[in-house]
Amino acid sequence: ATYEPWSAERASEIIDEHKALEGAAMPILHALQEAFGYIPQDAEPLIAKALNISRAEVHGVFTFYHDFRHKPAGKHVLKLCAAEACQSMGSEKILQAAEKALGIKAGETTGDGRVTLEHIYCLGLCATAPSAITVQTLIRGDGEKLKDADTVRVNYTGVAWEQKTTVFDTTW
C-alpha cells in the first residue's frame, strides 16, 4: 500500500470528516492509519481536541487495540499468537526463532523495512495452535507437527515451520 506522508493539516481534515460520527475515536484512528500507515503520537492531541475528550482517553483507545501503531510497519507484518493455547503448543519457541532469524525483537521492524514482527494475543485459532498471521494471510499450523518442529525458518522469502516436510510456507 502507498501512504501519504504525515501532515498535521491532512490529519485535521481526516478528523473533521469523521468527528460527527457516533463513537468517532475508532473511525478517526482507522482513517488516520489508512491514510498514513500509522498514527503518530502528534495525532492524539488533535483527536482529543476535536472530540473534546482527554488525550488519555484517546491514548487508551489507541493502546487497547493492537492493530494501531505509532510507527510505520514493515512491508510485511508477521503476527505470532501469544495466547495460552498457543503458548502451550510452543509459540515462545517460534517467536524466539523468528527474532533470531530476523535479527529483531517482537514489536520491531527490520532495518530494511521489509518485516515487522508482532507478538499478539489470540487469533481465535486455538484448535490449530500455535498460529500466526501475515498481513491478511491466515497461516494455520498443524499443532502436533509444530509442537515437535525441529527448526523454524524465517527469512525474506517467507516463513516456514519445518520438520521432515514443510508444515506451511508463505512467500513474501
Side-chain angles (χ1 to χ4, degrees):
T2 304
Y3 300 108
E4 301 174 41
W6 164 252
S7 157
E9 295 78 24
R10 177 68 179 121
S12 293
E13 291 173 8
I14 293 168
I15 293 167
D16 286 342
E17 292 170 9
H18 295 84
K19 71 181 182 183
L21 297 172
E22 188 173 334
M26 287 289 289
I28 288 171
L29 289 168
H30 280 290
L32 290 171
Q33 187 153 302
E34 188 175 312
F36 304 116
Y38 68 108
I39 304 164
Q41 287 184 323
D42 292 346
E44 289 183 12
L46 299 174
I47 298 167
K49 183 177 179 182
L51 299 180
N52 196 29
I53 60 176
S54 71
R55 288 178 66 181
E57 288 177 274
V58 175
H59 189 71
V61 173
F62 178 93
T63 57
F64 184 80
Y65 297 97
H66 65 266
D67 283 331
F68 294 131
R69 60 183 79 251
H70 277 309
K71 298 178 193 171
K75 181 177 179 184
H76 305 284
V77 179
L78 174 59
K79 299 178 181 191
L80 298 173
C81 184
E84 291 80 5
C86 287
Q87 284 180 27
S88 70
M89 298 302 288
S91 66
E92 278 299 316
K93 175 182 169 186
I94 295 166
L95 175 66
Q96 290 169 359
E99 288 176 335
K100 182 178 178 185
L102 292 168
I104 59 174
K105 295 287 183 192
E108 297 178 347
T109 301
T110 56
D112 61 7
R114 292 208 41 209
V115 180
T116 295
L117 180 62
E118 294 182 348
H119 210 199
I120 65 166
Y121 292 89
C122 201
L123 291 169
L125 298 168
C126 303
T128 61
S131 296
I133 192 168
T134 61
V135 190
Q136 301 298 328
T137 305
L138 177 62
I139 301 167
R140 288 189 225 178
D142 178 321
E144 286 304 307
K145 290 179 182 176
L146 290 176
K147 182 174 68 174
D148 298 325
D150 297 320
T151 62
V152 176
R153 177 173 43 89
V154 179
N155 58 41
Y156 291 122
T157 60
V159 180
W161 277 263
E162 294 180 351
Q163 203 172 18
K164 293 181 180 175
T165 60
T166 298
V167 177
F168 79 78
D169 191 3
T170 182
T171 302
W172 292 327

